[in-house]
Amino acid sequence: MLGIFIVILDGLWIVDVADSYDLYPGSAWALLAIGLCMMIFAYIMIQHKRKQEAPMKDEVQEIHAERVLAQQFVNRMWKDREAVGGRLILSLLIIHAVIAVFHLGLALRMVQITIFVGIICFSFFYIMNDDRGDLKEQEEDLKPESHFMQTFMRLIDYRQHPFSLGLLVFLLIVLTFLISKWFGWEISFDTGGNPLYVMSLPTSAVILSGLAFACGLIYINQHCDFFGLRQTDQGAYRLFQIHFYEIIACGASFFIWLGIIILSWFFA
């Protein structure tokens, strides 16, 4: 999870400060590479670490009690998400309005940070909420008949690996920023106001970062404990819900990226 955080935070910084640098510092490349290497290393470790030393019986009971309390808290927060979310949104709107009176630029920058944190928090409670149902029945109901589709669905099964389509498109956008600065290519990324498309690439990167985080949580919760929450089998229905969001976020972001690249090349 630390590797995903490093990749996402470094990528968002790269996108956010694009207008401030003619050439990104080497640390931007280094942090991105370190985060990816940490993700790959963690993936290899989880795949090979199947058996662990069994703790003592008293330790098992103590750990189990702590996990039950943590899971109950997550389930309660997810159940009351509309009420809690409504109060949080109202409070944040008031805070942003007060800040905007004194410093409009700071308030606008905080909106993007608030959206990112909101997506991360929603993803956490959405994935960690224990609402599995009959997993075997879900798998059979949602299993495609086509052999090709079965193979494709295994490739994008984030219970087996944390490398999601959202993460790949996010990296595609971030690497485009890095490489264009490195080679001095003039590409209009719509980082300022009045974007050419419905949403700009920086906004796409924020949305994709939350999607990549959610996919990483699915993989982690499938294979190990996380923040006191016990390891749980993720159902196919929740995975398909992630795929639904992927169609919208990844599809829109990719075509916006492609359109910007084509227009920048055409008018170069």
Side-chain angles (χ1 to χ4, degrees):
M1 182 53 69
L2 180 59
I4 295 178
F5 261 117
I6 292 176
V7 170
I8 288 176
L9 293 178
D10 183 51
L12 290 177
W13 178 83
I14 289 170
V15 172
D16 188 52
V17 301
D19 295 332
S20 303
Y21 287 90
D22 293 328
L23 182 65
Y24 287 107
S27 58
W29 293 85
L31 285 174
L32 201 63
I34 290 172
L36 288 173
C37 288
M38 289 179 66
M39 286 182 62
I40 295 172
F41 179 74
Y43 168 70
I44 294 173
M45 289 294 294
I46 290 176
Q47 291 299 316
H48 284 83
K49 191 176 181 182
R50 298 295 186 182
K51 295 182 180 180
Q52 296 180 350
E53 183 179 355
M56 299 297 292
K57 184 176 179 180
D58 294 339
E59 294 177 347
V60 171
Q61 292 177 350
E62 182 179 354
I63 294 173
H64 178 70
E66 292 177 353
R67 290 175 179 173
V68 168
L69 290 175
Q71 191 64 61
Q72 287 177 347
F73 171 75
V74 171
N75 292 345
R76 185 170 65 253
M77 290 295 292
W78 179 253
K79 182 180 179 181
D80 300 334
R81 62 188 181 277
E82 294 184 1
V84 175
R87 289 194 291 267
L88 283 175
I89 291 174
L90 180 60
S91 301
L92 289 171
L93 286 175
I94 295 173
I95 293 172
H96 281 79
V98 172
I99 295 175
V101 172
F102 299 97
H103 199 302
L104 181 60
L106 177 61
L108 293 176
R109 289 182 62 85
M110 287 185 62
V111 168
Q112 188 174 20
I113 298 174
T114 303
I115 292 174
F116 172 71
V117 174
I119 293 175
I120 295 297
C121 292
F122 180 84
S123 300
F124 177 82
F125 288 106
Y126 168 68
I127 300 299
M128 295 301 176
N129 172 50
D130 189 7
D131 187 19
R132 291 170 291 166
D134 192 336
L135 297 178
K136 186 175 181 180
E137 183 179 346
Q138 289 181 9
E139 297 287 346
E140 293 299 325
D141 291 342
L142 298 174
K143 186 177 181 180
E145 297 181 0
S146 169
H147 178 71
F148 171 78
M149 285 303 299
Q150 290 180 17
T151 304
F152 177 71
M153 293 307 296
R154 282 196 296 270
L155 292 175
I156 58 174
D157 189 342
Y158 307 134
R159 297 169 297 183
Q160 306 304 322
H161 61 83
F163 308 104
S164 62
L165 292 176
L167 179 63
L168 294 178
V169 179
F170 176 79
L171 288 174
L172 179 66
I173 294 173
V174 172
L175 288 174
T176 303
F177 275 82
L178 286 171
I179 294 172
S180 64
K181 295 285 187 180
W182 181 267
F183 289 102
W185 296 338
E186 293 294 333
I187 299 178
S188 176
F189 290 111
D190 289 333
T191 54
N194 300 318
L196 180 63
Y197 302 92
V198 175
M199 63 180 180
S200 63
L201 276 186
T203 304
S204 299
V206 173
I207 296 173
L208 291 172
S209 66
L211 189 60
F213 181 82
C215 295
L217 279 177
I218 284 183
Y219 175 75
I220 290 172
N221 192 233
Q222 177 77 18
H223 294 279
C224 55
D225 299 337
F226 184 66
F227 276 140
L229 298 169
R230 67 183 183 275
Q231 174 185 345
T232 8
D233 291 330
Q234 294 288 326
Y237 180 72
R238 181 170 291 170
L239 184 64
F240 269 73
Q241 288 179 317
I242 293 291
H243 291 328
F244 173 77
Y245 295 123
E246 276 185 333
I247 293 173
I248 300 173
C250 295
S253 300
F254 176 77
F255 283 110
I256 290 172
W257 171 86
L258 186 62
I260 287 174
I261 296 299
I262 293 175
L263 289 176
S264 298
W265 174 80
F266 183 77
F267 290 107

